[in-house]
């Protein structure tokens, strides 16, 4: 279902004569290409089977997120993460900034990556550097200090079975690795945040359908005048 929706959206792009570039600036509100062969897509990821409560708001998630972020949390969005065969690896990055530059605060946002199929080593699992969310507040300085003190954790690259979840703080250093297999690596990304926080940096506002939306808005206003 997820890959079918991806194909549908690519058809919409082609039908409108639009192309997608790399990164947030080259993408759309519905889809962003993070690097060659690697996409992140919110489009229709809250419909069909993905609208079911078991995915986004089951009892286990409620308890876990409440303990990590606090009881005042909200579910922000869900997106498809797909890397196709020959997809390139990504650079190390964090998905969000720290809310304080002076001291470390408890988590205000977290990722849950749910494998929608088995993810083996050759499919390019997500690589993380454990405990790096403590270091990204002042990355260069704190990474050097951790290395000097021999407290820098080696990267890990977990493989997953279908239905497994990879959970990490938004501030954790991570990257997608190259997909050397012949199978797309597909995951559902769930993002939970503390109430009052909104992620505004990972997707642009412009829509693939923005021309149609402008026309519909104009027609609606005309009807109201009549």
């Amino acid at each position: 279902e997820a890959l079918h929706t991806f194909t549908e959206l690519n058809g919409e792009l082609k039908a409108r004569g639009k192309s997608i570039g790399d990164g947030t600036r080259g993408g759309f509100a519905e889809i962003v290409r993070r690097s060659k062969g690697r996409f992140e897509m919110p489009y229709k990821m809250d419909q069909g089977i993905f609208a079911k409560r078991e995915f986004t708001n089951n009892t286990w998630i409620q308890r876990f997120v409440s303990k990590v972020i606090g009881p005042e949390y909200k579910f922000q969005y869900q997106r498809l993460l797909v890397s196709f065969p020959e997809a390139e690896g990504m650079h190390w990055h964090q998905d969000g900034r720290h809310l304080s530059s002076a001291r470390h605060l408890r988590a205000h946002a977290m990722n849950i990556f749910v494998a929608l199929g088995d993810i083996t080593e050759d499919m390019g699992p997500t690589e993380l550097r454990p405990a790096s969310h403590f270091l990204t507040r002042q990355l260069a300085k704190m990474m050097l200090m951790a290395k000097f003190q021999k407290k820098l954790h080696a990267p890990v690259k977990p493989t997953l079975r279908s239905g497994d979840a990879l959970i990490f703080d938004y501030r954790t250093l991570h990257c997608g690795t190259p997909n050397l297999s012949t199978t797309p690596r597909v995951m559902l990304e769930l993002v939970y945040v503390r109430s009052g926080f909104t992620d505004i940096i990972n997707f642009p506002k412009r829509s693939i359908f923005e021309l149609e939306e402008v026309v519909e808005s104009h027609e609606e206003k005309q009807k109201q005048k009549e």
Side-chain angles (χ1 to χ4, degrees):
E1 185 172 335
L3 289 178
H4 174 77
T5 303
F6 179 88
T7 301
E8 174 192 320
L9 185 59
N10 269 276
E12 296 285 1
L13 271 168
K14 291 178 181 178
R16 288 161 175 75
K18 296 182 178 181
S19 59
I20 187 170
D22 284 346
T24 301
R25 290 185 178 181
F28 298 90
E30 296 81 12
I31 188 170
V32 168
R33 186 174 70 195
R34 297 301 179 192
S35 60
K36 179 185 175 183
R38 186 180 303 277
F39 299 86
E40 194 167 351
M41 186 186 79
Y43 179 70
K44 290 190 176 182
M45 284 297 102
D46 57 354
Q47 299 180 24
I49 190 173
F50 300 111
K52 291 187 176 181
R53 182 177 180 275
E54 296 94 305
F55 275 107
T56 62
N57 197 31
N58 60 58
T59 302
W60 187 90
I61 287 178
Q62 290 177 1
R63 290 175 179 172
F64 184 83
V65 177
S66 181
K67 286 183 179 179
V68 175
I69 293 179
E72 298 299 320
Y73 75 87
K74 64 179 180 179
F75 172 63
Q76 186 159 25
Y77 43 59
Q78 58 199 65
R79 305 179 287 213
L80 176 72
L81 301 177
V82 56
S83 64
F84 290 97
E86 300 184 6
E88 298 176 348
M90 301 176 71
H91 62 276
W92 286 98
H93 65 281
Q94 62 194 86
D95 283 343
R97 61 182 176 81
H98 287 252
L99 298 185
S100 171
S101 60
R103 62 191 180 94
H104 185 81
L105 302 176
R106 73 181 297 175
H108 61 275
M110 64 187 298
N111 285 321
I112 300 180
F113 289 0
V114 181
L116 299 182
D118 292 349
I119 298 177
T120 54
E121 179 76 21
D122 60 340
M123 292 172 69
T126 301
E127 189 169 22
L128 307 98
R129 189 175 284 277
S132 59
H133 62 297
F134 290 107
L135 309 177
T136 48
R137 180 163 50 88
Q138 298 179 37
L139 183 57
K141 176 183 177 181
M142 298 186 82
M143 282 280 283
L144 185 62
M145 185 179 298
K147 187 174 182 179
F148 178 75
Q149 296 175 343
K150 297 184 179 180
K151 294 181 179 180
L152 188 63
H153 294 265
V156 295
K157 195 164 47 173
T159 56
L160 304 173
R161 299 294 299 272
S162 184
D164 284 352
L166 179 63
I167 305 173
F168 58 97
D169 190 295
Y170 228 47
R171 301 164 293 182
T172 300
L173 287 174
H174 64 285
C175 64
T177 56
N179 187 344
L180 306 177
S181 74
T182 57
T183 305
R185 189 213 68 181
V186 187
M187 297 191 292
L188 181 69
E189 177 188 20
L190 309 175
V191 177
Y192 295 83
V193 301
R194 186 181 307 163
S195 293
F197 175 81
T198 302
D199 177 5
I200 60 172
I201 65 173
N202 285 306
F203 277 82
K205 291 183 178 180
R206 69 171 184 151
S207 170
I208 292 171
F209 308 101
E210 59 189 0
L211 181 59
E212 289 89 336
E213 290 169 356
V214 170
V215 171
E216 288 174 3
S217 176
H218 177 72
E219 291 176 349
E220 185 63 31
K221 288 179 180 179
Q222 287 297 109
K223 289 179 181 179
Q224 290 176 358
K225 288 180 180 180
E226 294 171 1

